[in-house]
Amino acid sequence: MKVRKVTAAASVLLALSLTATACGGDDDKDEKGSGGGGKITIGIKFDQPGLGQKTPDGKYEGFDVDVATYVAKKLGHKADDIEWKEAKSADRETMLQRGDVDFIAATYSITPEREEKVDFAGPYLLAHQDVLVRADDKSIKSPKDLNSKKLCSVTGSTSAQNVKEKLAPKAQLQNYGAYSQCLTGLQSKAIDALTTDDSILAGYAAQKNFQGKFKLGGFKMTNENYGIGVKKGSDLKKKINDALTEMVKDGSWEKAVKDNFGPASYKNEPAPKIGDIVK
C-alpha cells in the first residue's frame, strides 16, 4: 500500500513538472520577439547622434531608436521590455546569425551581399551620401567643388574614397578616427568638408552644440536604403514590415524625422514603400 501511495504522489509531481515546462516554453517564445510581450533584444548604434546614441545618463535616443521602439510596441513589447545592444557595423550579420538580437535597426543599408546572409524588413529610410560644410562656406556648391579641398571621413569608411575616385579626383583625403573628430576639424577649419550618409551628418548637425554651425550640401551622391535586419528566414520580417507601414500611416514616422533631424534642416526623402529599393 505504501508503494502505491508513493507512486501516485510521484505521478502528480510529474504532471505538475510537465505543465510547468510547457509554460516555460511559452515564455521563451515571447522573449524571442515573436509577440505577446516579454523581453526583446534590439541592436542599434550607440555612437551616432540623431540615429542611435547611448547618452551619458544611460538613455537611448535617435531616429533608429524611435523606429525600433515603435516596431517593438507593435510586436507586443513595452519600452521597458527592450534590451538595447550595441550593433557595430562589422558585427551586425554575426549578431543576427548567432541570435544575439531579435532585430537590428542601425543605419543598416540593404545590399545584395548582406541579403545573402540576413533578411531585411523595410526600407524605412532612404539616405544619400552627402557632405557637411561650415554654414558660412559658399565655395562648395557641388561635388566637383571638393577638388583641392580637405575632405574628411572616418578610417575604414569608403565614403571619401568614393568621392575622390568618381567625383573630385583632386580632393585631399583626411581620415580621422571618429566623426566627432572630423566635426572638430571642420569647425576649426583644419578640414573643409565631412562626407558620409546625409542622415548621419544631419544627426550630428542637429546636436545643440553644433546647431547653426554646419549645413548639408544636398548632393545625393549615392542611395542608401536603411532596412531592419532579421535572421535569415525569420517570420519577424513580415510583422516588422506591417509595423513600419502603420508607423508611416499614423504620422509617427514623420514625427520621428522632425524630432531627430529637424534642427539640421534635413531635407529627407518621403517614407519609402516596403520592398522598394532605390538603386
Side-chain angles (χ1 to χ4, degrees), residues 171-266:
Q172 301 173 33
L173 301 188
Q174 305 285 324
N175 289 318
Y176 286 23
Y179 290 119
S180 57
Q181 295 175 351
C182 286
L183 284 166
T184 300
L186 186 58
Q187 194 169 4
S188 67
K189 298 186 179 181
I191 62 169
D192 301 304
L194 160 62
T195 185
T196 187
D197 295 358
D198 55 6
S199 58
I200 297 174
L201 297 173
Y204 278 104
Q207 301 306 293
K208 290 183 179 180
N209 56 321
F210 291 136
Q211 286 180 18
K213 296 180 179 179
F214 306 117
K215 63 182 179 181
L216 279 82
F219 298 161
K220 298 184 179 181
M221 294 180 280
T222 64
N223 296 317
E224 307 296 335
N225 301 270
Y226 290 175
I228 293 181
V230 298
K231 190 173 184 178
K232 200 75 173 174
S234 173
D235 62 355
L236 279 180
K237 178 178 177 178
K238 182 182 184 307
K239 295 177 181 179
I240 293 174
N241 278 336
D242 290 343
L244 292 174
T245 300
E246 185 62 26
M247 187 177 188
V248 174
K249 184 178 180 181
D250 68 15
S252 297
W253 184 90
E254 189 65 34
K255 182 179 184 302
V257 169
K258 291 180 179 179
D259 288 347
N260 293 290
F261 304 127
S265 299
Y266 176 46

Side-chain angles (χ1 to χ4, degrees), residues 18 21 25 31 69 85 101 105 136 138 155-156 169-170 196 203-204 207 217 247 260:
L18 290 172
T21 301
E31 290 179 0
T69 301
K85 186 166 287 190
V101 292
D136 60 355
K138 298 180 180 180
T155 303
K170 294 182 180 179
T196 187
Y204 278 104
Q207 301 306 293
M247 187 177 188
N260 293 290

Side-chain angles (χ1 to χ4, degrees), residues 27-185:
D27 289 343
D28 290 343
K29 184 178 180 181
D30 286 343
E31 290 179 0
K32 295 310 293 177
S34 58
K39 295 295 182 181
I40 185 169
T41 305
I42 303 173
I44 58 169
K45 293 291 180 65
F46 278 13
D47 59 354
Q48 286 186 343
L51 286 151
Q53 183 180 32
K54 184 177 181 180
T55 62
D57 58 359
K59 295 181 180 179
Y60 301 90
E61 58 187 28
F63 180 72
D64 284 348
V65 174
D66 289 348
V67 170
T69 301
Y70 184 98
V71 168
K73 182 179 179 181
K74 289 298 180 180
L75 293 176
H77 304 276
K78 299 177 182 178
D80 291 343
D81 294 333
I82 300 174
E83 177 187 353
W84 300 105
K85 186 166 287 190
E86 184 174 18
K88 295 181 179 180
S89 295
D91 300 333
R92 290 176 297 198
E93 284 84 36
T94 302
M95 291 175 71
L96 289 169
Q97 291 169 339
R98 285 193 313 223
D100 295 342
V101 292
D102 294 301
F103 66 80
I104 289 177
T107 60
Y108 204 0
S109 296
I110 302 172
T111 67
E113 294 77 17
R114 289 171 178 164
E115 286 184 304
E116 293 179 1
K117 301 176 181 178
V118 301
D119 284 340
F120 285 97
Y124 64 91
L125 184 71
L126 175 59
H128 307 281
Q129 185 181 340
D130 200 357
V131 297
L132 193 71
V133 299
R134 288 181 293 279
D136 60 355
D137 189 335
K138 298 180 180 180
S139 66
I140 301 176
K141 298 178 181 179
S142 69
K144 68 179 183 180
D145 294 329
L146 294 169
N147 280 306
S148 300
K149 297 289 187 178
K150 294 178 182 178
L151 180 64
C152 185
S153 191
V154 296
T155 303
S157 170
T158 60
S159 298
Q161 192 63 39
N162 287 340
V163 172
K164 185 173 177 63
E165 290 179 356
K166 301 175 183 178
L167 300 168
K170 294 182 180 179
Q172 301 173 33
L173 301 188
Q174 305 285 324
N175 289 318
Y176 286 23
Y179 290 119
S180 57
Q181 295 175 351
C182 286
L183 284 166
T184 300

